[in-house]
Amino acid sequence: MEWLTDNKIPVGRSARAVFDWMQDNLVWFFDGLSDLLEALIDAILWALQTPHPLIIVALFVALTWVLQRSWKPCLLIFMGFLFILNQGYWEETTESLTLVLSACLVCMAIGVPIGIAAAHRPRLYAFMRPVLDLMQTLPTFVYLIPAIVFFGIGMVPGLLATVIFVVPAPIRLTYLGVSATPAALREAAQAFGGTQRQVLWKVELPYAFPQIMAGLNQTIMLSLSMVVIAALVGADGLGVPVVRALNQVNTALGFESGLVIVVVAIMLDRMLRVERKS
């Protein structure tokens, strides 16, 4: 077997050459992208941390009522935030929410248009499928290496690694929702003179809305699963006490911060859950 190992395919060297070239020639792009994402993060963080915590809680409860029209999820959101305040993790929670909301904005802005385009072009989706599989199966720690190389330490590399890992979810679910639109609905809209754009906005997107919201839900859940990993590259939030607890073998701190992450995940899941009405 030595002949096989002696003729190793230079996967690692090729990847390093590509990253070195990008680092030497695309500094302007990475600096601009870093400034843009940092401005987005700072704006969301300011909006969550400047008002009194109870005002933010009231806003989340009101948003839950608008989305769900039920008092039960509103009560769950209210009690969840009270638990977070009681445990003293408000600042870390707002930092994690900033990372999650930033990732959602970027992922949905990228994923929904690509999913729509893929639903209308089967060959495009056939080409994209192995790329999406690779993005979701590659170990998430691998994404941290180029993120650190290009963006240094902080929230931005954590956000970029999160986006790369999460963006396949809204692409797949948007594709699924739009492509599952019954042909009879499309034909009826076209028979009444609907243009391709009108069919998209008035037929396909309303029918696919539950799937798109499911993509948003998955984006949030996957983003939350990255908060601990993002903390390893200097991203603030609930991942920091988890990493600290791991380093100190502090069971109390680890369970406490981990439970807060679970509470945040349950709250966001119940807030954004949308079911198709029959």
Side-chain angles (χ1 to χ4, degrees):
M1 296 294 290
E2 291 183 1
W3 64 271
L4 186 60
T5 56
D6 290 341
N7 296 278
K8 180 179 178 180
I9 299 174
V11 176
R13 286 194 307 238
S14 300
R16 181 175 180 177
V18 171
F19 287 131
D20 288 343
W21 182 89
M22 293 173 67
Q23 191 176 10
D24 293 337
N25 297 275
L26 298 177
V27 176
W28 58 272
F29 172 75
F30 293 121
D31 288 344
L33 182 60
S34 178
D35 293 340
L36 179 63
L37 294 178
E38 193 169 351
L40 174 64
I41 291 170
D42 290 342
I44 296 176
L45 193 60
W46 178 87
L48 290 176
Q49 290 188 343
T50 302
H52 192 277
L54 292 180
I55 296 177
I56 301 299
V57 173
L59 289 175
F60 271 89
V61 171
L63 179 60
T64 304
W65 173 258
V66 170
L67 294 175
Q68 301 296 334
R69 296 295 179 179
S70 173
W71 63 269
K72 293 181 180 179
C74 293
L75 179 61
L76 176 66
I77 299 301
F78 181 71
M79 296 302 295
F81 274 120
L82 286 186
F83 174 76
I84 292 169
L85 288 168
N86 172 263
Q87 295 298 303
Y89 282 90
W90 177 255
E91 183 176 353
E92 291 84 355
T93 299
T94 55
E95 291 166 347
S96 290
L97 285 175
T98 298
L99 181 63
V100 170
L101 292 175
S102 301
C104 286
L105 290 175
V106 176
C107 289
M108 297 305 286
I110 296 173
V112 172
I114 292 178
I116 293 171
H120 291 148
R121 298 169 181 82
R123 289 184 179 179
L124 175 61
Y125 186 71
F127 170 78
M128 288 169 48
R129 186 182 300 169
V131 178
L132 298 176
D133 292 340
L134 176 66
M135 292 170 67
Q136 287 191 304
T137 55
L138 198 66
T140 52
F141 288 96
V142 176
Y143 298 135
L144 299 180
I145 301 171
I148 294 173
V149 170
F150 296 139
F151 301 100
I153 300 296
M155 292 285 280
V156 173
L159 174 59
L160 260 297
T162 301
V163 168
I164 296 172
F165 175 68
V166 172
V167 75
I171 293 176
R172 289 182 189 275
L173 287 166
T174 301
Y175 162 81
L176 205 62
V178 174
S179 61
T181 304
L185 288 179
R186 292 196 186 96
E187 293 171 358
Q190 293 168 353
F192 281 97
T195 63
Q196 186 174 359
R197 180 175 296 181
Q198 289 173 330
V199 171
L200 172 65
W201 284 98
K202 297 184 178 181
V203 177
E204 293 178 337
L205 287 182
Y207 187 87
F209 181 72
Q211 289 287 353
I212 294 174
M213 289 300 294
L216 176 61
N217 189 293
Q218 286 298 305
T219 299
I220 291 173
M221 295 301 107
L222 291 172
S223 299
L224 274 173
S225 71
M226 287 288 290
V227 297
V228 177
I229 297 175
L232 297 176
V233 293
D236 298 324
L238 292 169
V240 174
V242 174
V243 173
R244 189 183 306 125
L246 181 62
N247 292 333
Q248 300 173 356
V249 197
N250 189 331
T251 307
L253 179 61
F255 186 81
E256 194 176 77
S257 53
L259 184 59
V260 172
I261 294 175
V262 172
V263 169
V264 173
I266 293 173
M267 289 164 50
L268 294 176
D269 177 68
R270 297 301 184 270
M271 181 189 302
L272 297 170
R273 178 172 294 180
V274 174
E275 297 179 358
R276 176 174 281 134
K277 298 179 180 179
S278 56

